[in-house]
């Protein structure tokens, strides 16, 4: 089969395929693909590029997908000493966890991340796909190892220290996201974590601003939050914890009043909404026309890992289903409460009816 026929076959299979994707599939340069497409267009074989309409209710999750290892102390953890622990492995990564959560909640979700060509990466993808997440756009990088995240938890489930090997994300470039942009931009909302490089963060934020696509950003950690550009115009909402909010605002937070001022400073960078997660104090939400603290829902705390990801998932679920931002925050708190009571980073209890019941019951009893 000649090259032109191969190109037409690939386009029939996927009308939204990029020139770079065609080049990779056929083992030729992108410029060569462009030349073949120009000839096919001139002859009328290709009538024009396909355009993707925004898919109502769908969410694109961009960021990390890792192998998570949790070592939980059988007694109070002592530093600089040997500690008896139980170890559990699971799929992790902020964007991946949120994608699975949303899949469990019945949302149409796609994941944009990178894995190595190793058994850990394949296992992560297969487990993620089981929950209805589209993994067709994930990059497989043969020279890289799939990311890993290892957390040491105290006997009460609180994190003592975590270790991350995320070098694989340094291989991502803005051009790689540009090649997949038609798939990303078809979503009703985009979730972005800061595991990706700084130039990629800036590119995605700018494209979302230009195209008016709602973008939700999780800073992930204080160290990774530093990669965000100074201007955050086009970001619908950012979801830092207290420490990350302090870094983004350039001030310490010791009270709700200081949290309000920190949110105001962050919004001055262009963000529409700031939601600070504060553990036992719940969340603090601020927008131009809103300012409110939400207390957490009462629940038995088994393991805190994944609670923040669950909150973001519940919030996004509410947003794409047309709920007010205040109601979306409550759905996020319900998702967090359901996750805190399990050892899994992604709770098997997450169901739309469970979220709604948890919120309604709490509001009734309040």
């Amino acid at each position: 089969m000649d090259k032109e026929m191969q190109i037409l076959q690939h386009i029939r299979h996927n009308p939204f395929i990029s020139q770079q994707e065609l080049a990779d599939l056929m083992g030729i340069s992108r410029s060569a693909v462009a030349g073949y497409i120009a000839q096919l267009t001139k002859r009328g074989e290709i009538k024009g590029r396909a355009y993707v309409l925004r898919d109502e209710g769908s969410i694109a999750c961009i960021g990390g997908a890792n192998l998570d290892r949790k070592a939980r102390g059988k007694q109070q953890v002592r530093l600089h000493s040997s500690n008896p622990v139980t170890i559990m492995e699971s799929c992790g990564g902020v964007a991946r966890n949120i994608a699975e959560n949303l899949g469990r909640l019945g949302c149409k979700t796609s994941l944009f991340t990178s894995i190595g060509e190793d058994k850990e990466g394949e296992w992560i993808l297969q487990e993620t796909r089981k929950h209805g997440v589209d993994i067709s756009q994930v990059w497989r990088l043969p020279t890289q190892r799939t990311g890993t995240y290892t957390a040491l938890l105290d006997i009460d489930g609180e994190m003592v220290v975590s270790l991350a090997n995320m070098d694989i994300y340094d291989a991502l470039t803005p051009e790689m996201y540009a090649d997949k942009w038609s798939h990303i931009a078809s979503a009703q909302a985009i979730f972005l974590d800061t595991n990706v490089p700084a130039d990629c963060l800036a590119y995605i934020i700018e494209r979302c601003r230009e195209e008016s696509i709602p973008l939700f950003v999780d800073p992930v950690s204080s160290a990774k939050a530093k990669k965000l550009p100074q201007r955050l115009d086009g970001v619908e909402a950012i979801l830092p914890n207290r420490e990350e909010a302090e870094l983004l605002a350039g001030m310490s937070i010791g009270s709700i009043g200081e949290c309000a001022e920190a949110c105001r400073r962050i919004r001055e960078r262009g963000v529409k909404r700031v939601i600070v997660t504060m553990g036992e104090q719940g969340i603090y939400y601020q927008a131009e026309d809103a300012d409110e603290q939400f207390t957490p829902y009462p629940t038995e705390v088994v393991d805190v890992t994944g609670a923040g990801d669950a909150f973001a998932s519940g919030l996004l679920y509410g947003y794409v289903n047309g709920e007010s931002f205040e109601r979306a925050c409550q759905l996020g708190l319900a998702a967090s409460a359901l996750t805190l009571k399990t050892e899994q980073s992604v709770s098997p209890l997450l169901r739309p009816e469970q979220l709604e019941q948890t919120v309604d019951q709490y509001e009734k009893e309040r």
Side-chain angles (χ1 to χ4, degrees), residues 298-303 336-343 347 349:
T299 189
E300 177 193 0
V301 178
V302 175
D303 190 335
S336 185
L338 291 169
T339 302
L340 284 168
K341 64 168 68 173
T342 70
E343 287 192 348
S347 172
L349 302 174

Side-chain angles (χ1 to χ4, degrees), residues 236-237 260 263-264 267 271-275 284-294 324-326 329:
E236 181 73 28
C263 289
R264 187 191 65 77
R267 286 196 302 109
V271 181
K272 289 184 185 177
R273 298 177 170 90
V274 182
I275 305 168
Y284 182 82
Y285 163 59
Q286 188 183 98
E288 186 178 4
D289 57 352
D291 197 341
E292 188 171 355
Q293 182 184 9
F294 295 84
S324 68
F325 236 84
E326 287 77 4
C329 285

Side-chain angles (χ1 to χ4, degrees), residues 253-330:
I253 299 174
S255 66
I256 292 300
E258 288 175 344
C259 189
E261 172 60 19
C263 289
R264 187 191 65 77
R265 292 189 187 186
I266 296 169
R267 286 196 302 109
E268 283 183 343
R269 294 174 63 174
V271 181
K272 289 184 185 177
R273 298 177 170 90
V274 182
I275 305 168
V276 182
T277 54
M278 301 188 294
E280 294 178 353
Q281 289 182 281
I283 63 164
Y284 182 82
Y285 163 59
Q286 188 183 98
E288 186 178 4
D289 57 352
D291 197 341
E292 188 171 355
Q293 182 184 9
F294 295 84
T295 55
Y297 292 1
T299 189
E300 177 193 0
V301 178
V302 175
D303 190 335
V304 299
T305 310
D309 298 345
F311 172 80
S313 306
L315 178 80
L316 284 160
Y317 165 80
Y319 180 84
V320 298
N321 281 288
E323 301 284 2
S324 68
F325 236 84
E326 287 77 4
R327 174 75 177 185
C329 285
Q330 292 171 328

